[in-house]
Amino acid sequence: MKKLSCLFAFLLLALISKAQEVPQLANVMARQTISLNGDWNYIVDIQEHGYYDYRMKPSSWGFFRNAKPRKPEDLIEYDFDKSPTMKVPGDWNTQDEKLLYYEGAIWMKRDFEYLKKDNKRAILYFGAVNYDARVWVNGQFAGRHLGGFTPFNFDVTDMVKDGKNTVILLINNKRHAEAVPTQIFDWWNYGGITRDVMLVDVDPIYIENYICHLLPQPIGKKRQIEFSVKLNKAEAGKEITLTIPELKLKQTVTTNDEGKATMILTTSSSKKNAIQLWSPENPKLYHVNICMDGQTLTDEIGFRTIEAKGKQILLNGNPIFLKGICLHEEKPNGGGRANNTEDARTLLSWAKELGCNFVRLAHYPHNEYMIREAERLGIMVWSEIPVYWTIAWESEETYKNAERQLTDMIARDKNRANVIIWSIANETPHSPQRDIFLGKLAQHARTQDSTRLISMAMEVTGASNYKNRLQDNMHKFVDVVSFNQYVGWYRDVNDASKMTWEIPYDKPVIVSEFGGGAKYGLHGPKNQRWTEEFQENLYIENLSMLDKIEGLSGTTPWILKDFRSPRRVLPGVQDFYNMKGIFSDKGEKKKAFWIIKKWYESK
Ligand code: GCB
């Protein structure tokens, strides 16, 4: 009986969550944190029997209990501590060769020491877990999160204790038709805890998020900076002081009864304290302090304006051509998911060598290190959510999932000066349901951030007599019309010179993908698929074709480097890599690199 009531109490604890998922903490890197990165034990659970019993019901004896035999006769058929470990952050596919193709459930566990602090809350933060994550702390269920590329966090104050604590995750990266992305996509479905994990100590009332940006209109020689802040609670009367020492700015604002506040700071008109605007040539960042209750949150913020006017994109009021390249969040050398500043620096330095001032981070929000490193290097960013190909347009759940990913992408990066475009989709098939879904997403993006441009990668559907016309009902919702086209690869080999392009919208145009595959080191005639010469010729033809597009404001060729994809199976050539990189996976330059570089030099 006693045993039964114990079990009942445990079950209640496990099922009734004492934790709460809370809105994402912005600028987590600048907060007081304890890192939970490092070695985590893992158990591969092909049938999810660590979660479901033999009648497919959630089991009270799940692995989240982290049970140990107490008596010699006890039967416990798993042991985290004797199970292998892998590094977090990191995908599981490239850390254990048996898991290269694995899609399914894996349990992960880490112990950590903690000392509870008076009058502080403990927030458990995950940079990203792909795709479905259930989280337990000390055997108690903290919550579940869907979506592999955005941060989420739980308030676990009532679950952690002094001394040893344990966090356990059940992660599942199975693909589903109603998920975002859906069942099919052209990149590797890297599973696991792919970004940082940390415990964040915050005050009971803390700054949840803020936006600090330059207003477009100068006032004479002065500029205005708008700062808005939101607390985690609807607490009125909290004083928040913003200082930007280099600009000699300091101003205080008091929160309203929604726990929000906004103020405008005006820079001095003296030349000495004039604001330097962020740009690729001068990626100036200012040290910013946000103080409340004696605590300071710091950030490095750049100030610039971005707008679309007719067919032009204006950065700081001046027309700019976006010399871009697409990239996936993948380390070179078959290394799996990229997730630190060093990876970012390697990839972005290749883009810089190519002459880029812009990158399209395809096809999902990349890690924060990538965005911040690009910002320091003066590289503008297109950031996208994985609404890719055949999404379940009619599903309300799918919409909510996509909207949540969009919200979290914007919440994390809205203070990054280099992010200039939020992209809501890639190559989606036209239908009324799609239009409703994407229309809602675009409107939602504007409610989250009214200061940036919105776009999506559209498709040009077919050409007759070499006449291409872009037609997409979504044109009304975007600021920049972008489209992918594969003349010379999937269609119309050698026809590039005959093509004409009509984009009947008075908006800037970005060609968000074009290109073709080549195996580094494979040489031959220019009509021989997979040779570097074929790819080189394709770019020569494409670039002169693109030069004829009216209002062309930028290009992002597909793609910086070869990347893993389960769809690319041709032996000896692809071997599970998409070969459209202008760099090989090892960072070797293919001939096409020099063609694009030269073209960008002329822009
Ligand atoms: C596309 C997709 C991209 C693919 C690429 C290709 O249109 O947007 O994700 O990888 O084509 O290589 O076919």
Side-chain angles (χ1 to χ4, degrees), residues 177-180 182 389-399 437:
E178 303 217 327
V180 183
T182 179
W389 292 355
T390 61
I391 290 289
W393 307 113
E394 280 165 64
S395 157
E396 192 48 35
E397 284 309 305
T398 305
Y399 176 77
F437 189 111

Side-chain angles (χ1 to χ4, degrees), residues 32 34 113-122 157 160 162 199-202:
Q32 250 180 35
I34 300 169
E113 291 294 320
Y114 190 67
L115 209 55
K116 285 191 82 133
K117 294 165 194 85
D118 285 345
N119 210 22
K120 288 274 182 193
R121 309 290 307 171
T157 314
V160 284
D162 284 343
L199 255 188
V200 192
D201 281 330
V202 289

Side-chain angles (χ1 to χ4, degrees), residues 106-248:
I106 290 191
W107 292 84
M108 296 192 64
K109 185 213 79 153
R110 190 195 197 279
D111 298 326
F112 62 96
E113 291 294 320
Y114 190 67
L115 209 55
K116 285 191 82 133
K117 294 165 194 85
D118 285 345
N119 210 22
K120 288 274 182 193
R121 309 290 307 171
I123 311 284
L124 178 58
Y125 176 96
F126 295 90
V129 179
N130 191 37
Y131 169 86
D132 174 352
R134 289 183 171 91
V135 180
W136 289 265
V137 175
N138 295 328
Q140 301 174 46
F141 185 58
R144 183 178 182 188
H145 179 265
L146 299 181
F149 304 99
T150 36
F152 56 99
N153 39 216
F154 305 105
D155 184 332
V156 295
T157 314
D158 300 331
M159 291 181 164
V160 284
K161 55 185 193 313
D162 284 343
K164 186 180 153 194
N165 292 265
T166 302
V167 53
I168 290 181
L169 266 72
L170 170 58
I171 307 164
N172 200 321
N173 72 333
K174 257 184 219 148
R175 290 162 294 110
H176 294 284
E178 303 217 327
V180 183
T182 179
Q183 246 157 343
I184 51 166
F185 45 88
D186 189 19
W187 67 85
W188 209 259
N189 185 21
Y190 292 114
I193 308 177
T194 51
R195 296 187 191 157
D196 297 337
V197 186
M198 51 192 112
L199 255 188
V200 192
D201 281 330
V202 289
D203 286 340
I205 296 172
Y206 58 86
I207 292 172
E208 187 179 279
N209 212 329
Y210 56 90
I211 181 162
C212 185
H213 71 109
L214 189 72
L215 290 179
Q217 289 310 325
I219 314 242
K221 286 190 180 141
K222 298 179 185 175
R223 297 300 304 238
Q224 293 189 309
I225 292 169
E226 186 181 60
F227 173 73
S228 299
V229 60
K230 180 180 176 297
L231 305 180
N232 63 317
K233 294 220 168 95
E235 181 85 7
K238 282 276 181 193
E239 285 197 347
I240 298 169
T241 303
L242 181 82
T243 46
I244 310 179
E246 222 183 313
L247 291 173
K248 306 236 170 350

Side-chain angles (χ1 to χ4, degrees), residues 186-187 328 360 363 388-389 426-427 484 486 489-490 513 558 563 568 578 580:
D186 189 19
W187 67 85
H328 267 294
R360 174 176 178 223
H363 282 296
Y388 180 98
W389 292 355
N426 177 72
E427 283 186 0
N484 302 346
Y486 280 91
W489 188 256
Y490 294 125
E513 281 179 36
W558 189 258
F563 61 96
R568 309 296 173 172
N578 183 316
K580 296 189 190 71

Side-chain angles (χ1 to χ4, degrees), residues 313-468:
I313 293 178
L314 306 180
L315 176 73
N316 299 326
N318 304 315
I320 186 155
F321 187 82
L322 303 175
K323 305 180 213 177
I325 186 85
C326 292
L327 61 141
H328 267 294
E329 187 193 54
E330 193 177 61
K331 289 175 195 279
N333 259 324
R337 276 266 168 261
N339 49 40
N340 55 42
T341 299
E342 210 184 312
D343 295 335
R345 208 171 286 149
T346 305
L347 296 166
L348 294 170
S349 68
W350 296 352
K352 274 243 144 181
E353 237 190 298
L354 186 67
C356 292
N357 58 14
F358 180 57
V359 285
R360 174 176 178 223
L361 301 181
H363 282 296
Y364 38 76
H366 286 211
N367 63 76
E368 201 171 341
Y369 299 106
M370 179 70 94
I371 312 275
R372 286 189 180 258
E373 189 57 15
E375 189 179 45
R376 285 189 282 265
L377 292 171
I379 299 178
M380 292 172 280
V381 163
W382 158 311
S383 187
E384 184 161 296
I385 51 168
V387 173
Y388 180 98
W389 292 355
T390 61
I391 290 289
W393 307 113
E394 280 165 64
S395 157
E396 192 48 35
E397 284 309 305
T398 305
Y399 176 77
K400 278 198 219 139
N401 182 337
E403 189 186 278
R404 166 87 199 262
Q405 295 192 41
L406 181 63
T407 307
D408 286 330
M409 169 174 80
I410 296 175
R412 198 194 65 184
D413 294 336
K414 66 184 172 190
N415 285 304
R416 303 283 66 84
N418 61 331
V419 177
I420 56 166
I421 293 176
W422 301 125
S423 164
I424 56 166
N426 177 72
E427 283 186 0
T428 49
H430 295 188
S431 75
Q433 291 78 9
R434 176 206 81 144
D435 291 355
I436 293 169
F437 189 111
L438 293 183
K440 269 164 53 185
L441 270 187
Q443 279 159 340
H444 180 74
R446 292 192 199 280
T447 66
Q448 301 301 295
D449 176 11
S450 57
T451 72
R452 288 182 174 76
L453 307 175
I454 294 189
S455 195
M456 58 182 269
M458 301 172 175
E459 283 179 309
V460 175
T461 37
S464 58
N465 299 326
Y466 307 113
K467 281 199 178 97
N468 296 276

